[in-house]
Structures are given as C-alpha cells and as structure tokens.
Amino acid sequence: MLMTKAQKESNAVVAIAAREITKGIKNPVLMIVSIVFPIIFIGIFGGSLSQNMAGNLGYNYLQFMMIGMIVNSVFTGLITGMSSLIEERNQNLTQELYVSPISRYSIIIGKMIGSSFTSIVGLIGILIVALLMQIPLGGMHIVWLFLITPLFCLIGGSLGIFFIGFVQDSKTADIGSMLLVMPQMFLSGAMIPIQHSTGILGFLAHIMPMTYCIDLARAVFYSGTPVYSQVVLYHPVTDLLVMAGFFLVFTIVGTLMFTRSERNR
C-alpha cells in the first residue's frame, strides 16, 4: 500500500527529529553544559540582582527571573540548533535531505523538534537551582508552564531559521546567533522588568519575539495570583497572536531563503 503524501511528510519529520535527538544524546558535553549554564547564571547573576535590586518589587524576583530563564534557555537552544544547519550544509551533511522528495517545511519542522530536546533537558538545571535556592515553583503553575514550553521552542526555532536564511558562513552564524540571543535576554524582561521601559529600549523590548513568549509564560505561571498585573504586560491572547505571526513570517521567509541558498550552491 502506497503511503500518502501526508504520511511521507510525517515520517520525514519524525526521522529528522530522531536524528537530532540521537546527536544530542551522543554529545554528553552539550547536555551537561545546557544543564550547568542556568545553574551558574541564575545562582550567581540572579542571586546578586535579587540582593541588590529586588527589595521593593512586591514579588519574588528570583521566581520572576526563573520563568524568564526557562524561555531564554529554550530560545538559546533552538537558535543554536537551527544555526548548526549552516555548518551541516557546508559539510554537505544535509544534501541528501534537500534532494529527497519531501517538503522543505518538513525538514525545518523536524530540525526544530529535534533541537528542542537539548533545550528541554536544560530546564533540569533551572529546576535544580530553584530547589537549591528555595525558589517557589508555584505548584501546578510550573506544570502548566512546562506544558506550553513547546510553543516557545517553535518560536525560537523559527527565529533561528529566519536568521540562517540570510547567513552563508558557519562562523558568522555562530557569532550572529549569540548577538541574536543576548539582546533579547537583557531587553525582553527575562531578567530585568521592562514594564517602565521607554524610548529606544522600550521600542526594542516590544519588537522582540522573546518578550511575548516570556509574557505568556508569566501569564500562565502567575494566573490567579495577586501579583499578576505587576508582572504581565499583555493579555495572553495578544501574546499568542503575536507569537503566531512571528512563527509564520520567520518560518516561511527563513525556509524560502535557506532553500534558495541551497539551490544556488
């Protein structure tokens, strides 16, 4: 019995995702770094900020930062994972994928899903530091937050493919991916509240995809709590609509640009 087109595309997504997960499992150093990084960052940087600036916020700053770092960790992992396509392309490791009779979107989605594996494993580090520093996990609220984490993976991955659609060199991709992540980490509210940001900083904060992912994460985590209005910027529906817009634009444009660069090689 011949497989339908949908079945072929689904099988391709699963195969590509499994390939990425296998690569992650075979690279224990990467897995360890993804766990250790949030421990160091929240423990040292977050602890210092909490001691020096969080006294008058009216809510638990380390808890606030923990939520931001969950989203940031996912974004960093996905953008880095998608950027690796440049190196794989330069080494002709993905050539067989692009000559196969499957949709380019299936290739990209499979890569996103597979790259999400390492990012989600990195959340273990955040949970460890939360327990060590006695950061309240919010009961079921942290469960609901983890359940929507795949949405953040998709947005981060789509931003990554949009980025590499305009980059041809692996070294440029490595440097550029960090330049793509770092400003968002500091300006999107991951660590520092942006409710009162104005001028160019306010403008930049509100055009960054991570801002809306973090805002949705906090809306879910703080839902029904007294501090909800202090930490959430927009209605969750607004966050979802903006995220959907970013995902569609980044995925479509990025895939088209990346595929065109493949054909021009």
Side-chain angles (χ1 to χ4, degrees):
M1 181 178 179
L2 296 177
M3 288 192 299
T4 65
K5 176 66 173 176
Q7 288 175 321
K8 289 181 180 179
E9 297 296 336
S10 298
N11 290 342
V13 169
V14 172
I16 295 168
R19 170 178 175 267
E20 293 302 312
I21 292 173
T22 301
K23 285 170 56 181
I25 294 174
K26 290 182 177 180
N27 189 351
V29 174
L30 179 61
M31 303 291 285
I32 292 172
V33 169
S34 67
I35 293 175
V36 172
F37 176 77
I39 294 177
I40 296 175
F41 209 86
I42 298 178
I44 297 177
F45 193 76
S48 177
L49 282 176
S50 178
Q51 291 174 1
N52 289 280
M53 63 161 280
N56 298 319
L57 287 178
Y59 51 83
N60 188 311
Y61 171 74
L62 286 176
Q63 187 182 62
F64 174 90
M65 181 180 178
M66 176 189 70
I67 299 166
M69 290 306 297
I70 287 173
V71 178
N72 179 76
S73 178
V74 169
F75 255 70
T76 301
L78 265 295
I79 291 175
T80 301
M82 300 309 294
S83 296
S84 69
L85 275 173
I86 296 293
E87 182 177 358
E88 293 176 358
R89 182 182 64 185
N90 292 343
Q91 296 177 359
N92 290 323
L93 298 178
T94 55
Q95 194 62 33
E96 69 277 9
L97 294 178
Y98 285 90
V99 298
S100 59
I102 58 175
S103 167
R104 300 301 181 257
Y105 297 103
S106 294
I107 296 173
I108 296 302
I109 295 298
K111 179 72 174 179
M112 285 184 187
I113 295 173
S115 298
S116 300
F117 175 75
T118 302
S119 298
I120 292 176
V121 169
L123 300 184
I124 295 174
I126 296 177
L127 290 178
I128 291 174
V129 73
L131 293 173
L132 292 175
M133 299 185 69
Q134 298 182 336
I135 302 173
L137 295 178
M140 283 299 295
H141 287 209
I142 193 69
V143 176
W144 302 131
L145 176 55
F146 282 158
L147 288 176
I148 65 170
T149 297
L151 291 177
F152 311 142
C153 292
L154 289 177
I155 307 303
S158 67
L159 178 57
I161 193 61
F162 180 80
F163 168 66
I164 65 172
F166 297 89
V167 177
Q168 306 299 319
D169 179 70
S170 59
K171 292 183 178 179
T172 302
D174 291 339
I175 297 173
S177 62
M178 293 307 298
L179 293 176
L180 195 63
V181 170
M182 295 302 287
Q184 293 197 87
M185 183 169 63
F186 289 104
L187 295 176
S188 66
M191 298 183 300
I192 303 171
I194 60 172
Q195 277 84 350
H196 303 296
S197 294
T198 58
I200 185 64
L201 293 179
F203 172 75
L204 292 174
H206 291 87
I207 63 171
M208 291 182 172
M210 195 188 296
T211 297
Y212 299 91
C213 293
I214 291 174
D215 195 53
L216 178 63
R218 291 196 174 118
V220 170
F221 188 87
Y222 288 106
S223 177
T225 65
V227 301
Y228 181 90
S229 60
Q230 294 179 258
V231 297
V232 176
L233 299 173
Y234 305 108
H235 192 283
V237 174
T238 300
D239 291 323
L240 284 170
L241 290 175
V242 174
M243 289 165 59
F246 277 130
F247 176 76
L248 290 174
V249 172
F250 289 158
T251 301
I252 294 172
V253 175
T255 302
L256 290 175
M257 294 299 296
F258 186 74
T259 302
R260 186 172 71 174
S261 66
E262 279 285 327
R263 292 171 178 167
N264 293 336
R265 293 184 66 208

